[in-house]
Amino acid sequence: MKNNRKYCQNLRFLNILYLGILLFANQCNFPSLDRVPLLDLLALRSTICLANPNDSICRSNLSTPDITSPTIAFTTPTNLATNVPICTGTPCRARVVFQFSESMDTSIQPMGGFFTWNSLSFESTPVQITYVWSTTTFPNDTFTMSFSWIWFPENQRIQIMSDAVNWKDLAGNTLNANINLEFTTGYINQSYAISDTEQINCYDDTNLSTCPAITATFPRQDGIMINTPLARNYTAPTLVNVSDYITTDLVSGLVWTSCNLGQTGPTCGGAPTIYSWANAMNACASYNSANAGSGYANRTDWRLPTRWEVHSLPNFVTFGPSMNLTAFPNPTTNSVLTLSGTSSFNTVYLLQGNVGIMTTALKSAASFIVRCVSSPTPIVTKNYQDLGDGTIRDMNSNLRWDKCTLGLSGPTCSIGTGTLLTWGAALNACSAIGPEWRLPNYNELGSLIDNRFSLPAIDPTFFPNTISAAYWTSTSAPGTTANAWTINMTNGTTQGTPKGGASARARCVRNHP
């Protein structure tokens, strides 16, 4: 006790009496230690023990306190990652995962911001986020954010920010640095069975004609090839619950809201609501919490459709609007928005409802109508097989394609020149290859578009040296009979092109085998 009293006297003299409680195990009565730096306590203990190793304080079991800030071990996706999948896991959902270096305090509700790029800067974007803590290495060291959009928008720069003070470990230490996670999403690898365009009329290069009379000069055009490759088959608007109407594409498996958002009833009465891009994303997401959480029509995976999905909607019998009016009553002629962004980040793909073409518009425009989609799971991905004879088989649609653009040949399609043709010349050139060979219709050619690739937007492994330019389809434009639809292989946009001009190229197709 004599040595202990001596130490107490020294501590009082140094005006750090409050250290005694911890260092001398209650042998001296000192004030509170609330404001004592823990490192100072340990340093003083080390000094005392160096001078007198046999002192009782040196034999006491004092554990080292946790004063280390937690860190982020890794994130999924990683910071500045590109081509990030728009959904992960089963079911496939928009998620971001943070794993920390230790167990975290889950009683604290993390706060932060979600931002998307508008071509000039990041801007705050409303979205509902749910959080789940789980265990990877330590209890509650993994934090998963799930987004109400179901899928992230395609080709979009995204930023997630949160201050370090919003995150603490079990000892109360704050995160070592603010969170600033930035990544860019890619395009989904997506494929569905392909249906016919429903075009039943035949055309020459300027006017509507009769199919038997036109067969010789404009062969195997869309109106002749009925139900090719598969007959289109929609359900009529189907009532689920009290007032939810859905239309199912029985070929692709896609389930659509029968009406544009804002319209109601079996005939889709009323005017559609006009949305901005971000509000459109959230409008579809809100359908998942409808009916007390059971979802619109008992589905909880409603989202904005992709470019590929919207591409499948038009039919080419009607004009203004170009939609199946039985399956989708009162569709209006406005443009239907997609979640697919273009390479410029500030524009998005949309379907121009009046004529059925795919085009682009500024994301900032508040002029979009919305039709939501629910897709089957699991997602079917594109699957091609090189048959080794200059043709490529689509294993999903069972279509057999020319590997090369007409006019090109060789293993890498590098011999020759891609030939510019009139519409009639393209029809005849494909038909001349052999039985069943034809110029593809709008839906068939559109199935090759793959925005994971650019300039051109097609898989270069199976379709090398494709030219980033317009390619003919066999589908005429009902509203302007002197035009046929072309698809631009640069990015998948479509337009009506005068049939008489040698202004587009061709790739031929047939059913396999």
Side-chain angles (χ1 to χ4, degrees):
M1 291 297 297
K2 180 178 180 181
N3 287 337
N4 289 342
R5 292 192 190 94
K6 181 178 180 180
Y7 291 143
C8 291
Q9 291 170 359
N10 290 337
L11 291 175
R12 290 189 183 95
F13 178 76
L14 294 172
N15 198 27
I16 51 174
L17 304 179
Y18 48 83
L19 297 174
I21 294 176
L22 181 63
L23 297 176
F24 294 98
N26 295 321
Q27 294 183 50
C28 304
N29 295 320
F30 297 142
S32 170
L33 299 176
D34 289 346
R35 295 186 299 274
V36 179
L38 295 175
L39 286 176
D40 290 352
L41 294 175
L42 296 174
L44 182 57
R45 179 177 183 270
S46 298
T47 301
I48 294 172
C49 294
L50 184 64
N52 187 1
N54 295 321
D55 194 278
S56 60
I57 189 175
C58 304
R59 298 191 299 272
S60 62
N61 184 21
L62 297 178
S63 60
T64 303
D66 179 2
I67 58 171
T68 303
S69 293
T71 61
I72 295 177
F74 70 83
T75 63
T76 304
T78 58
N79 191 38
L80 302 181
T82 58
N83 290 318
V84 171
I86 63 173
C87 64
T88 56
T90 303
C92 204
R93 295 290 184 266
R95 296 182 175 96
V96 171
V97 179
F98 296 89
Q99 184 180 338
F100 296 90
S101 58
E102 57 183 295
S103 298
M104 300 294 286
D105 185 350
T106 62
S107 67
I108 300 173
Q109 181 70 26
M111 304 291 290
F114 182 84
F115 305 85
T116 55
W117 186 256
N118 65 8
S119 80
L120 296 176
S121 62
F122 282 105
E123 61 183 4
S124 180
T125 305
V127 62
Q128 183 178 348
I129 304 174
T130 56
Y131 310 94
V132 175
W133 285 99
S134 60
T135 296
T136 300
T137 304
F138 307 100
N140 294 323
D141 65 347
T142 302
F143 184 78
T144 300
M145 307 171 69
S146 298
F147 297 81
S148 60
W149 290 346
I150 303 299
W151 290 0
F152 285 125
E154 292 186 301
N155 197 44
Q156 180 63 56
R157 288 180 65 184
I158 291 172
Q159 184 182 56
I160 297 172
M161 300 181 69
S162 182
D163 291 338
V165 295
N166 295 322
W167 308 83
K168 294 184 179 181
D169 64 13
L170 297 179
N173 302 304
T174 59
L175 193 64
N176 70 320
N178 294 336
I179 291 176
N180 187 352
L181 176 65
E182 180 184 333
F183 58 92
T184 303
T185 59
Y187 290 97
I188 193 168
N189 181 359
Q190 188 179 33
S191 178
Y192 295 107
I194 305 168
S195 62
D196 183 59
T197 67
E198 299 182 82
Q199 188 159 99
I200 56 175
N201 295 320
C202 292
Y203 303 83
D204 59 20
D205 54 4
T206 56
N207 298 302
L208 177 67
S209 184
T210 58
C211 291
I214 210 71
T215 299
T217 49
F218 296 92
R220 299 176 189 167
Q221 60 176 277
D222 194 356
I224 296 172
M225 308 300 294
I226 303 298
N227 296 333
T228 301
L230 295 171
R232 182 165 293 199
N233 190 4
Y234 288 120
T235 65
T238 304
L239 177 63
V240 182
N241 296 326
V242 177
S243 59
D244 304 343
Y245 285 90
I246 58 173
T247 297
T248 302
D249 184 336
L250 297 175
V251 176
S252 68
L254 294 172
V255 178
W256 296 89
T257 53
S258 298
C259 306
N260 296 313
L261 269 60
Q263 298 175 305
T264 59
T267 59
C268 299
T273 304
I274 304 299
Y275 292 93
S276 66
W277 173 79
N279 287 338
M281 298 281 290
N282 289 318
C284 285
S286 71
Y287 269 36
N288 297 319
S289 57
N291 298 316
S294 63
Y296 185 87
N298 297 329
R299 291 175 172 270
T300 56
D301 60 350
W302 293 104
R303 55 175 173 77
L304 211 58
T306 64
R307 182 208 63 80
W308 198 103
E309 291 163 340
V310 162
H311 182 98
S312 71
L313 282 177
N315 82 349
F316 295 104
V317 177
T318 60
F319 173 78
S322 293
M323 296 278 285
N324 185 306
L325 301 182
T326 301
F328 302 103
N330 193 22
T332 78
T333 59
N334 298 73
S335 297
V336 179
L337 184 63
T338 78
L339 57 72
S340 303
T342 70
S343 58
S344 67
F345 294 113
N346 66 331
T347 55
V348 289
Y349 290 101
L350 51 85
L351 173 71
Q352 195 176 89
N354 187 47
V355 292
I357 65 172
M358 290 299 304
T359 185
T360 62
L362 287 173
K363 191 172 63 176
S364 58
S367 58
F368 304 115
I369 66 168
V370 175
R371 188 182 299 275
C372 305
V373 71
S374 169
S375 56
T377 54
I379 296 169
V380 178
T381 59
K382 293 183 183 295
N383 184 11
Y384 298 116
Q385 179 186 15
D386 191 330
L387 299 178
D389 60 356
T391 64
I392 304 296
R393 181 184 178 187
D394 183 333
M395 304 298 288
N396 294 326
S397 67
N398 209 33
L399 291 175
R400 185 173 178 178
W401 292 92
D402 255 348
K403 183 176 185 177
C404 301
T405 301
L406 276 177
L408 297 176
S409 61
T412 59
C413 302
S414 56
I415 301 172
T417 302
T419 308
L420 286 169
L421 302 164
T422 65
W423 182 66
L427 288 169
N428 280 279
C430 287
S431 179
I433 294 175
E436 296 191 31
W437 282 97
R438 62 184 185 275
L439 191 65
N441 68 30
Y442 177 92
N443 288 346
E444 290 171 328
L445 185 60
S447 72
L448 295 183
I449 296 297
D450 190 339
N451 287 112
R452 293 178 300 157
F453 310 98
S454 61
L455 301 174
I458 191 171
D459 191 331
T461 300
F462 295 97
F463 302 101
N465 202 25
T466 296
I467 299 165
S468 293
Y471 279 63
W472 288 112
T473 77
S474 65
T475 306
S476 294
T480 309
T481 57
N483 288 354
W485 294 118
T486 56
I487 297 180
N488 194 322
M489 288 294 161
T490 302
N491 57 10
T493 56
T494 60
Q495 66 178 20
T497 301
K499 297 175 180 177
S503 56
R505 294 170 174 83
R507 171 173 272 113
C508 304
V509 71
R510 60 165 290 171
N511 293 340
H512 182 81

